[in-house]
Amino acid sequence: MRKLSVFLSLSLLVLLFVALVVLNNQLLGKYRADLTENAVYSLSDGSKAVLGELDEPVTLYFFYSDTASKGMTSLRNYANRVLSLLEEYEQASNGKVRLKVIDPEPFSEAEDQASQFGLTGASIGSIGEAVYFGLAGTNTLDDQFTINFFDPQKEQFLEYDISKLIYQLSDPEPVKLTLISSLPVTGGQNPMTGQYSQAMVFYEQLSQLYDVELLNPEAESLPQDTDVIMLAHATSLSEPLSFAIDQFVMNQGRLLAFVDPHFESDQMAMMGAMQANPSDMSLLEKWGISLDEGGVLLDEQLGLEIRSQDGGIVRHPGILGLTAENLDRADVTTANLEMINGASFGALILDKSSALKQEALMQTSDNAMLIDAQEYALNREPSSLFMGQPDARDRFTLAARFTGELASAYTQAPADSEGTFKASTAGANIVVVADADMLVDQFWVQQSSFFGQTLYTPFANNGDFITNATENLAGSDALISVRSRGTFARPFTRVQAIEMKAEAKFREQEERLQSQLEQTEAQLAQLQSQQAQGGALVMTDEQQTAIDEFVEQRVAIRKALRDVRYQLERDIDALGNWLKLLNVAAAPVALVFLLFLIFWIGKRRAPAAVKEASS
């Protein structure tokens, strides 16, 4: 009877276990607890908002060469993180996102499907086979967007890239960009040479990507359906246009402004009519955003070398080359850029009474200072620009993102205006760059001729930044809020420390061996230069002894190198054995002991009648 009772109890436990597994998979699958340090497997609020704005279902095709990537541990680990994040999107979309995982094996229909989406495999397999690791998305209107390859180096922007793809599928209409500028962006006659110049490269680049409409600063209204406004050194905004821009921003419109305390690339200014050539800052100043003292920044540390009037090479502290150290590595617009060139930058400041939040995108070094814009404009010799005393130098903000609450620059609408006046907004999104010279071709592209065609080769990332900022602002407020999340790889620091220690010893002995090899080669070269007798090399006993001794020494050192490598692997294997012991033996033993302890405590507290029945 007792054996039957034990059998029934075990059977019930098995049935209960199976029932709990089924219940968990069917009903509790969408409930997860992300206990990782950086919330690797959780979506940000911005991504959830993008999913909430979906009006129609979208299908995501995750192409990953699982078979071809065997043995590529790092890539496979990253692929698992990508897949887990994609599953989070599917789960949080309430059925609006359908995920399909495809392994495009060579010469299969799946590989043909990947090619139809424009994905290409990277030849990084063990024998050079193509490895696919990308994402394609479609909607009910047959629009499609792709991420060609998930680069592990851009892991911190993984969520942003996926959310942007989903947003593009939900809103496939082209971005309408209104460009307001006093610059000759479409080309024209050069007053210095009399020749006609082509359109500025940044304008052609934007025209290929977006629906761009160019406005003169004296215009009186904005085009309908404008998504993003770009101010590019607008020198005198008309009052009606200024009010239209203000109300556009109040209605959560996005603005990208390139303003300058002195636009020195102006052709008339270069001909000698040197006066400070500032952008119109009146609207921004009413919002609390201004240029510090209206001055120009000098930074000897970032200054670029130019050719002086006497033909020499000098460093110009007003023409700056910003490197990765001067760019915000956490913002999607500047994170992967390496160099941005510009001239006569201003310093952005935000009024203390403003409710806006300022995030610096570009900064000077710690050795910058301001100089009066008029004084800078009249100066022709970079070497005569006085940098002042070291204690007067500081770090300044050259470009910034302003978000949050913003009051209108106007108290009421003009009498002849149309539409409803809005006095404030809680969702302002403004990017301001305190330089417009960076838009000019000479600061970031090199022109060359190829069989009668003009080719432009970028040598700086100015165009990348302009495109990144426009694209980022063109997204929804939710998409703009998605920021980089850091890198999620968790290396074995203990193993790395062991490897570094052993490899340091390995390199030290390797260098010693290399030095001895060079000495021996010199000795052999000297021997080979001697005359041969009967086709054979004549060597003295001393020379032969020296070579024999070196051979023996080389064998001994190579043995020592093998011992160091063995020691490295032995230490790592020992660490691995301890980890296996803890996981395979120690953890189960601790669990059994804990269960026994709970059972023993429960038995001690049980009533006497229960104890007798159990015995």
Side-chain angles (χ1 to χ4, degrees), residues 494-495 498 566-582:
R494 179 72 178 275
V495 173
I498 295 174
Y566 171 74
Q567 184 67 32
L568 163 66
E569 296 174 353
R570 190 180 68 175
D571 292 344
I572 294 177
D573 289 342
L575 179 61
N577 291 334
W578 274 107
L579 292 175
K580 291 177 182 177
L581 178 63
L582 290 175

Side-chain angles (χ1 to χ4, degrees), residues 404-421:
E405 298 181 6
L406 177 64
S408 171
Y410 297 84
T411 56
Q412 60 182 7
D416 56 348
S417 65
E418 299 180 357
T420 304
F421 173 73

Side-chain angles (χ1 to χ4, degrees), residues 118-148:
L119 301 180
T120 55
S123 298
I124 56 178
S126 57
I127 57 174
E129 67 270 29
V131 174
Y132 289 86
F133 186 24
L135 183 70
T138 61
N139 58 18
T140 55
L141 300 177
D142 293 330
D143 296 299
Q144 67 179 45
F145 296 91
T146 60
I147 299 174
N148 289 329

Side-chain angles (χ1 to χ4, degrees), residues 377-445:
L378 294 173
N379 195 297
R380 289 291 186 178
E381 281 296 329
S383 58
S384 63
L385 289 171
F386 180 60
M387 283 291 295
Q389 301 300 321
D391 57 359
R393 303 180 187 183
D394 201 354
R395 178 182 289 265
F396 295 88
T397 299
L398 306 176
R401 185 192 296 272
F402 299 91
T403 56
E405 298 181 6
L406 177 64
S408 171
Y410 297 84
T411 56
Q412 60 182 7
D416 56 348
S417 65
E418 299 180 357
T420 304
F421 173 73
K422 190 171 183 180
S424 64
T425 179
N429 283 292
I430 305 170
V431 173
V432 182
V433 183
D435 180 49
D437 293 282
M438 69 164 57
L439 302 173
V440 180
D441 297 351
Q442 69 186 52
F443 285 95
W444 67 282
V445 290

